[in-house]
């Protein structure tokens, strides 16, 4: 069998994906733009040369696909200028305006740019968007990333010591988290991490920014992802009891919320609560036993078929605009990461205890750093004053004898290792919790 041209192999795979996503693929000699709502025409002539693919919606050109051989997968961003050149070119027989959407793709790796954004920038996508999605986006006029700039400042009017459903407003830590998150949205950062101590109101904070995304940015659908059925039930109750600051109706009276209990996903809701196990099974088209949702999946649950996620036309990559991941430090790795990689959506992680993997996954974009100690000092977790207590060790220091095994950490990597001390070490009280940690310092 002869080796096929690398460019042709890429185009064959692009054709396959376009067909799966609802497009009709045509060659330039057989153009029939009435064949479907979405038509992808190969080798369409422009005033700067033939474009690999021109995408038409309802007979109007809206996008470009620049096809590249597989070896260019790591260099796709270098081809963005070429894609934009075709998007602004004049198409033969058409007096077109610049096109709105651009892809670079090898068939294995694909990047997408919405040129309607305030500052267009490409992002990786699992596959191509559906024609009806482009039609809907064009009907909306502005892009989601542009509308994120329309969200008004949170303002001091939301400040309140309660920070609970039905309360008058938000705690300072919640306001800070939401303001920083919305700033991250305006910067088009795809990933953001919110660290808030247990008991400081993570879910209430999440529902508040979800409400603002729906009301002011006209977000489409939002997925609230949990890792156990119990957490999903708790989240559902909090959505049902949430009363916005600026409306007399509860959240669920304004925006429909559903908790997924089967493989059926209604299209007309705004917030979807699901375990990551169930969403994986939905994408795979398999049934899920509810017992698999009872405990943290990374500790106890392994699906019968640990296969990679493939495209599912019933729930395309653009189905959700945002994914909020509760307890993200324990649910987004290994097999389950595929669920997040599949969707073309902003991701917001919620956790009280992030680790190095969590920071790395969210690209170090920590928009809220409200840990246990800060929550205690602020009186959020304890309803009484906090006192500083001196101990003998904290005042006068201590010593470590030669030969004693101690737990050490590298400053930069935080790598932990055990080592025997080769000489006596004395330390002062000021070195505690900086150079030395003595777990017995209360003695």
């Amino acid at each position: 069998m002869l080796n096929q041209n690398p460019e042709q192999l890429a185009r064959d795979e692009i054709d396959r994906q376009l067909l799966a996503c609802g497009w009709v693929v045509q060659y330039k000699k057989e153009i029939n733009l009435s064949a479907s709502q979405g038509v992808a025409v190969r080798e369409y002539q422009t005033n700067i040369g033939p474009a690999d693919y021109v995408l038409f919606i309802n007979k109007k050109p809206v996008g470009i696909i620049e096809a590249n051989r597989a070896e260019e997968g790591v260099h796709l961003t270098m081809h963005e200028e070429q894609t934009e050149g075709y998007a602004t070119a004049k198409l033969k027989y058409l007096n077109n305006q610049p096109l709105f959407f651009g892809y670079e793709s090898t068939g294995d790796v694909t990047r997408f740019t919405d040129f309607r954004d305030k500052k267009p920038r490409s992002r990786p996508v699992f596959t191509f968007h559906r024609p009806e999605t482009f039609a809907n986006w064009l009907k909306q006029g502005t892009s989601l990333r542009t509308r994120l700039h329309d969200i008004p400042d949170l303002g001091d009017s939301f400040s309140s010591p309660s920070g609970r459903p039905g309360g008058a407003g938000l705690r300072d830590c919640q306001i800070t988290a939401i303001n920083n998150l919305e700033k991250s949205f305006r910067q088009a950062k795809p990933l953001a991490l919110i660290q808030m101590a247990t008991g400081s109101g993570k879910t209430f904070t999440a529902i508040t920014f979800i409400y603002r995304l729906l009301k002011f940015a006209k977000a489409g659908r939002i997925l609230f992802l949990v890792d156990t059925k119990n957490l999903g039930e708790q989240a559902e109750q909090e959505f049902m009891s949430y009363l916005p600051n600026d409306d007399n109706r509860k959240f669920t009276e304004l925006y429909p919320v559903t908790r997924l209990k089967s493989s059926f996903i209604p299209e007309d809701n705004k917030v979807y609560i699901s375990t990551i196990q169930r969403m994986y099974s939905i994408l795979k088209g398999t049934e899920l036993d509810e017992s698999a949702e009872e405990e943290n999946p990374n500790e106890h649950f392994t699906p019968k078929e640990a296969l990679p996620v493939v495209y599912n036309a019933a729930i395309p990559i653009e189905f959700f605009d945002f994914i909020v991941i509760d307890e993200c430090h324990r649910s987004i790795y290994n097999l389950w990461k595929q669920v997040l990689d599949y969707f073309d959506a902003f991701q917001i992680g919620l956790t009280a205890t992030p680790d190095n993997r969590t920071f790395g996954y969210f690209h170090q974009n920590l928009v809220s750093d409200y840990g246990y100690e800060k929550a205690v000092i602020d009186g959020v977790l304890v309803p009484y004053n906090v006192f500083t207590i001196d101990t003998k060790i904290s005042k006068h220091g201590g010593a470590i004898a030669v030969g004693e095994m101690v737990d050490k950490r590298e400053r930069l990597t935080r790598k932990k290792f055990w080592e025997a001390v080769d000489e006596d070490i004395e330390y002062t009280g000021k070195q505690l919790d900086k150079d030395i940690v003595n777990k017995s310092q209360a003695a």
Side-chain angles (χ1 to χ4, degrees):
M1 181 178 176
L2 296 175
N3 291 328
Q4 286 186 269
N5 184 302
E7 284 85 357
Q8 187 58 48
L9 287 172
R11 294 188 188 204
D12 289 346
E13 177 59 21
I14 290 171
D15 287 355
R16 186 193 67 77
Q17 292 184 29
L18 285 169
L19 291 169
C21 294
W23 295 85
V24 169
V25 180
Q26 299 177 350
Y27 288 90
K28 60 183 179 181
K29 293 181 180 180
E30 55 186 39
I31 294 177
N32 176 13
L33 299 181
S34 299
S36 178
Q37 181 182 38
V39 176
V41 181
R42 294 181 61 167
E43 298 295 329
Y44 196 103
Q45 190 64 40
T46 77
N47 63 340
I48 61 172
D52 292 332
Y53 296 80
V54 175
L55 303 177
F56 290 82
I57 295 294
N58 299 323
K59 303 181 183 179
K60 296 182 179 179
V62 299
I64 290 288
I65 302 175
E66 178 66 19
N68 295 273
R69 63 173 68 192
E71 292 80 1
E72 291 297 305
V74 294
H75 306 299
L76 276 188
T77 54
M78 298 174 62
H79 296 274
E80 290 176 18
E81 187 174 341
Q82 187 174 4
T83 303
E84 187 173 2
Y86 282 113
T88 55
K90 289 295 182 181
L91 304 179
K92 191 174 182 180
Y93 308 121
L94 297 172
N95 184 25
N96 61 288
Q97 298 297 314
L99 309 186
F100 299 113
F101 310 115
Y103 294 95
E104 297 84 37
S105 181
T106 66
D108 295 319
V109 180
T110 302
R111 298 188 69 88
F112 169 72
T113 304
D114 188 336
F115 294 114
R116 301 172 304 155
D117 293 346
K118 272 185 176 290
K119 294 183 178 179
R121 56 190 293 187
S122 72
R123 59 184 186 263
V125 289
F126 186 84
T127 187
F128 301 100
H129 302 87
R130 298 187 67 82
E132 57 266 32
T133 299
F134 280 170
N136 184 52
W137 285 356
L138 294 172
K139 189 182 299 182
Q140 292 173 344
T142 56
S143 70
L144 172 63
R145 283 158 179 75
T146 297
R147 297 196 301 275
L148 289 172
H149 292 260
D150 298 334
I151 301 177
D153 291 339
L154 194 58
D156 295 333
S157 61
F158 280 79
S159 182
S160 165
S162 62
R164 290 291 181 270
L170 299 165
R171 298 183 180 118
D172 288 344
C173 63
Q174 296 169 322
I175 291 175
T176 298
I178 293 170
N179 281 336
N180 289 346
L181 178 63
E182 292 174 353
K183 179 181 178 181
S184 177
F185 289 154
R186 289 191 293 274
Q187 294 171 343
K189 294 184 178 181
L191 305 169
L193 177 63
I194 292 177
Q195 178 190 4
M196 293 182 70
T198 302
S200 60
K202 290 195 304 295
T203 306
F204 186 77
T205 302
I207 298 174
T208 301
F209 70 67
I210 289 171
Y211 170 75
R212 288 167 59 79
L213 287 170
L214 293 170
K215 179 172 183 176
F216 299 115
K218 308 302 179 187
R221 305 182 189 94
I222 298 176
L223 174 62
F224 193 94
L225 208 55
V226 296
D227 63 2
T228 65
K229 178 183 176 183
N230 182 52
L231 285 178
E233 292 171 343
Q234 292 177 26
E236 184 179 30
Q237 290 301 314
E238 291 208 45
F239 273 101
M240 292 173 64
S241 60
Y242 182 92
L243 185 65
N245 176 274
D246 56 355
D247 200 296
N248 293 325
R249 294 165 292 177
K250 290 185 177 180
F251 187 103
T252 48
E253 295 178 82
L254 296 164
Y255 304 106
V257 176
T258 186
R259 182 167 62 85
L260 301 181
K261 304 173 186 177
S262 69
S263 58
F264 173 70
I265 299 183
E267 294 186 1
D268 55 353
N269 283 21
K270 284 296 184 181
V271 177
Y272 299 72
I273 302 169
S274 174
T275 62
I276 198 164
Q277 304 94 301
R278 182 164 297 283
M279 189 55 61
Y280 172 85
S281 71
I282 290 172
L283 292 176
K284 289 298 300 170
T286 58
E287 292 298 322
L288 180 70
D289 190 325
E290 285 194 10
S291 63
E293 300 179 283
E294 297 294 338
E295 296 181 329
N296 176 1
N298 273 332
E299 293 180 0
H300 302 284
F301 175 61
T302 301
K304 294 179 180 178
E305 295 183 28
L307 298 174
V309 164
V310 295
Y311 183 71
N312 186 332
I315 180 167
I317 64 169
E318 63 269 30
F319 194 85
F320 300 112
D321 286 335
F322 296 86
I323 301 177
V324 180
I325 312 136
D326 196 19
E327 302 297 347
C328 64
H329 64 283
R330 69 187 190 191
S331 63
I332 60 176
Y333 309 112
N334 305 322
L335 175 73
W336 314 108
K337 185 175 177 290
Q338 297 180 80
V339 173
L340 302 178
D341 289 343
Y342 178 85
F343 291 106
D344 178 26
F346 285 92
Q347 297 177 25
I348 306 99
L350 307 176
T351 180
T353 54
D355 56 25
N356 286 339
R357 290 188 308 169
T358 316
F359 290 125
Y361 179 85
F362 288 95
H363 297 177
Q364 313 296 328
N365 186 25
L366 182 65
V367 297
S368 170
D369 179 14
Y370 194 72
Y372 175 78
E373 291 184 9
K374 291 180 181 178
V376 170
I377 292 170
D378 287 349
V380 170
L381 297 187
V382 286
Y384 43 78
N385 292 328
V386 178
F387 298 92
T388 300
I389 300 174
D390 286 329
T391 66
K392 179 179 178 181
I393 292 175
S394 65
K395 290 185 70 174
H396 304 294
I400 302 174
V402 62
E404 188 173 342
M405 295 293 293
V406 296
D407 176 10
K408 290 190 173 183
R409 285 179 183 261
E410 293 180 358
R411 285 188 180 274
L412 294 178
T413 65
R414 308 307 295 159
K415 180 181 178 180
K416 183 189 294 186
F417 56 93
W418 286 90
E419 186 175 88
V421 175
D422 56 10
E423 60 180 350
D424 292 338
I425 298 176
E426 293 186 358
Y427 57 89
T428 66
K430 291 183 178 180
Q431 290 178 277
L432 282 170
D433 297 324
K434 294 180 180 178
D435 303 315
I436 299 287
V437 175
N438 187 333
K439 294 183 179 180
S440 303
Q441 72 182 68

